[in-house]
């Protein structure tokens, strides 16, 4: 049976080694090699007996992904990775360099079945959930390739994390385990279109991590036009949950709001949104729509985005307009595409291809 080590928690890894007649501390050694040192194969684990290393490698290779291609933005150092899974799925992650440290944005699924009409990621539907190992390897391979110390993680790539909750939770447990990478829970943000069962579990399981909800509209009439999930979980339900989330976790909640020309970016929309969020410890992250050719929607103007932000702030609601990174390499929100072949031509003089050895 194929056992990918990175699909197991450290506890499960201990049981795995015990069942093979090995000392449980072997699990801690392997765990450290995988997450702290980012080992690419068992041969690197020099404090393990050679026979054990070979047996493990025969069970299943350590890496679940291969870097198929990487693009580096010459504007801001953003890198987009296209990874190939063992069964041939192509998934994408984005590495971002910020003044306060580097961050990786990972995909939670190959494709997506949420069907938000403005988003490129889900236009071919869902292929499958990603495994905990595939989630970890997106981060670990980007760290190894860039040589940067990654201290922040966002689960905001392709896919809906709450639709793959068990695997996402296992992944978060593994990368926050102090015996490995030890990423701080507060440095993690998970973004959801609003799947209530997953959000409830996330509040219970990871109250220290950050939750971002893609709201994108002040009311159900607009929201259901652009997000099918709006018919299952309405704005009122989301707001009620958000209030409970803030009370129970003691943390601020983030709302993402894609600004679409004339659809949801008018002053009356800002007023309605501000009214909904009054008194809630939250931040509205305004994202000017990234153009996706097939969708027929246009981004708001910079002036409209600024006016929207100021109108929210005047009513006491904190808001930022998201700075766009990596737009020259189609790495910005909603632009991650499944197949390299299906990509818009990534022409232009702002990126170059990273040679992969
Ligand atoms: N499924 C999750 C996470 C993935 S999308 C979610 O819905 O939150 C990450 C963010 O990018 C979401 O807020 C999503 O709505 C937004 N997004 C999708 N397409 C976009 C586009 N074309 N322009 C700007 N943001 C987009």
């Amino acid at each position: 049976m194929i056992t990918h080590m990175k699909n197991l928690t450290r506890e499960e890894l201990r049981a795995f080694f015990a069942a093979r007649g090995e000392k449980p501390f072997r699990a801690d050694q392997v765990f450290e090699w995988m997450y702290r040192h980012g080992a690419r194969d068992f041969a690197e684990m020099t404090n393990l007996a050679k026979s054990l290393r070979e047996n493990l490698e025969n069970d299943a290779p350590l890496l679940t992904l291969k870097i198929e291609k990487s693009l580096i933005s010459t504007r801001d150092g953003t890198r987009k990775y296209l990874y190939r899974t063992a069964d041939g799925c192509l998934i994408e992650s984005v590495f971002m360099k910020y003044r306060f440290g580097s961050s990786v944005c990972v995909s939670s699924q190959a494709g997506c079945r949420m069907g938000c009409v403005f988003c490129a990621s889900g236009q071919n539907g869902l292929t499958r959930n990603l495994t905990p190992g595939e989630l970890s390897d997106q981060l670990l391979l980007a760290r190894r390739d860039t040589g940067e110390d990654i201290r922040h993680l966002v689960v905001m790539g392709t896919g809906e994390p709450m639709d793959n909750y068990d695997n996402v939770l296992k992944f978060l447990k593994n990368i926050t385990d102090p015996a490995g990478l030890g990423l701080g829970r507060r440095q993690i943000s998970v973004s959801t279109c609003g799947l209530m069962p997953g959000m409830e579990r996330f509040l219970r399981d990871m109250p220290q991590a950050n939750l971002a909800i893609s709201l994108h509209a002040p009311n159900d009439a607009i929201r259901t036009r652009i997000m099918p999930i709006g018919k299952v979980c309405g704005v009122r339900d989301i707001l009620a949950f958000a209030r409970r989330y803030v009370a129970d976790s003691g943390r601020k909640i983030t709302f993402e709001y894609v600004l679409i020309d004339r659809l949801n970016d008018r002053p009356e929309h800002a007023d309605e949104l501000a009214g909904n969020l009054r008194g809630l410890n939250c931040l509205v992250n305004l994202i000017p729509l990234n153009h996706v050719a097939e969708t027929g929607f246009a981004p708001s103007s910079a002036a409209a985005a600024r006016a929207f932000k100021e109108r929210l702030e005047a009513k006491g609601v904190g808001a930022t307009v998201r700075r766009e990174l990596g737009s020259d390499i189609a790495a910005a929100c909603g632009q991650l595409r499944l197949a390299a072949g299906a990509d818009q031509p990534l022409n232009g003089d702002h990126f170059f291809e990273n040679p992969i050895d």
Side-chain angles (χ1 to χ4, degrees), residues 117 217 219-233:
V117 295
N219 58 51
D220 287 332
I222 299 176
R223 195 162 187 269
T224 52
R225 277 180 64 191
I226 51 177
M227 301 177 73
I229 187 67
K231 297 190 190 94
V232 178
C233 180

Side-chain angles (χ1 to χ4, degrees), residues 59-241:
D59 281 354
L62 189 58
L63 282 188
T64 63
L65 301 174
K66 250 185 61 192
I67 301 180
E68 178 86 7
K69 188 172 173 182
S70 87
L71 297 172
I72 306 179
S73 165
T74 54
R75 282 186 193 156
D76 51 39
T78 299
R79 291 189 190 205
K80 173 163 135 177
Y81 290 96
L82 185 69
Y83 294 116
R84 183 183 287 277
T85 64
D87 61 350
C89 295
L90 292 170
I91 57 168
E92 289 166 85
S93 313
V94 183
F95 164 87
M96 292 158 288
K97 221 176 152 111
Y98 291 105
R99 255 172 296 129
F100 56 78
S102 297
S103 172
V104 169
C105 173
V106 301
S107 294
S108 53
Q109 297 177 312
C112 182
R113 58 185 183 134
M114 295 298 123
C116 301
V117 295
F118 51 85
C119 178
S121 298
Q123 289 187 353
N124 296 325
L126 177 70
T127 305
R128 68 165 172 86
N129 284 329
L130 297 181
T131 61
E134 289 164 342
L135 281 152
S136 295
D137 274 339
Q138 293 178 58
L139 191 155
L140 295 171
L141 284 170
R143 184 176 63 147
R144 184 131 181 176
D145 186 63
T146 58
E148 298 279 343
D149 181 25
I150 291 161
R151 286 285 122 199
H152 300 262
L153 166 78
V154 292
V155 185
M156 292 190 186
T158 301
E160 168 49 47
M162 302 308 180
D163 192 33
N164 182 20
Y165 186 81
D166 291 332
N167 290 348
V168 169
L169 181 66
K170 214 171 209 191
F171 155 63
L172 295 180
K173 282 191 174 149
N174 281 343
I175 56 154
T176 53
D177 190 321
L181 194 60
L183 210 68
R185 291 184 175 206
R186 290 168 199 279
Q187 320 303 330
I188 294 174
S189 298
V190 177
S191 175
T192 177
C193 65
L195 291 190
M196 198 53 85
M199 296 198 296
E200 296 279 8
R201 290 182 67 190
F202 187 72
L203 170 58
R204 228 179 29 240
D205 296 332
M206 281 268 158
Q208 311 89 341
N210 303 296
L211 182 65
I213 302 179
S214 296
L215 193 59
H216 302 334
N219 58 51
D220 287 332
I222 299 176
R223 195 162 187 269
T224 52
R225 277 180 64 191
I226 51 177
M227 301 177 73
I229 187 67
K231 297 190 190 94
V232 178
C233 180
V235 171
R236 281 171 70 107
D237 301 324
I238 288 178
L239 294 172
F241 171 80

